[in-house]
Amino acid sequence: MNGYLLNAKKLILGTIAYTVCTFSLAVSWHVLLFKERYESFGYFEGEPDFLLGLLTIVLQGVLLSTLFPMLKSEGTTFRRGIKFAFITGAFFWTSHVLAFVAKQKVPEVSAFIGMETVYLLLQFGLFGLIIGVIHRGEISD
């Protein structure tokens, strides 16, 4: 029973951490800092739906926080967190950035890819460190 509660606590903490760091970074990056730039890329059509965006991020946080303990990798939890972030971030990059460019005509494709690559490196790098802290001291099989 204690193991279950500990895992549930880490799942909740991971989900909250992912949600807070991703939502705040997404809003800051895409809406506050570079809104005009992203509008010029055709990234937004109309106003963003913040509630649906938040729900999406929460679901991603649950899934990623569930998946992390399943990663069997050598090294400290920080190292595992960075490896995990690199793998999942690369997957998100292909499905988010490359798919967006493939689905529609984006002016200045290389600028869009560059900006989104930096954004995802920040997002997943931060989450990788945080998930490592949440799971610190664990030894991977």
Side-chain angles (χ1 to χ4, degrees):
M1 181 82 164
N2 268 350
Y4 174 76
L5 291 176
L6 187 60
N7 290 340
K9 180 180 176 184
K10 289 180 180 183
L11 172 68
I12 291 167
L13 287 173
T15 301
I16 291 170
Y18 182 83
T19 301
V20 169
C21 79
T22 299
F23 190 74
S24 59
L25 182 61
V27 170
S28 297
W29 186 272
H30 296 101
V31 179
L32 299 176
L33 294 173
F34 302 112
K35 183 177 182 178
E36 290 178 11
R37 191 75 169 124
Y38 278 94
E39 286 173 343
S40 76
F41 293 139
Y43 194 74
F44 300 117
E45 289 193 21
E47 287 297 311
D49 186 336
F50 289 102
L51 187 57
L52 183 57
L54 179 60
L55 176 61
T56 301
I57 290 169
V58 169
L59 291 173
Q60 290 171 352
V62 169
L63 293 169
L64 291 171
S65 297
T66 300
L67 188 59
F68 178 76
M70 297 177 192
L71 175 68
K72 303 301 178 193
S73 176
E74 293 181 8
T76 65
T77 52
F78 293 107
R79 193 172 197 172
R80 288 177 49 223
I82 294 300
K83 286 179 189 177
F84 181 73
F86 179 76
I87 293 165
T88 55
F91 178 80
F92 272 72
W93 184 82
T94 62
S95 63
H96 173 76
V97 178
L98 294 183
F100 183 78
V101 171
K103 289 187 277 187
Q104 65 189 64
K105 186 165 179 64
V106 177
E108 301 181 68
V109 170
S110 60
F112 175 78
I113 290 173
M115 288 182 74
E116 281 299 279
T117 298
V118 171
Y119 164 75
L120 287 171
L121 283 170
L122 291 170
Q123 175 188 339
F124 280 91
L126 182 58
F127 179 64
L129 292 173
I130 294 170
I131 201 76
V133 169
I134 290 169
H135 288 270
R136 71 182 167 271
E138 291 180 4
I139 299 172
S140 181
D141 296 335

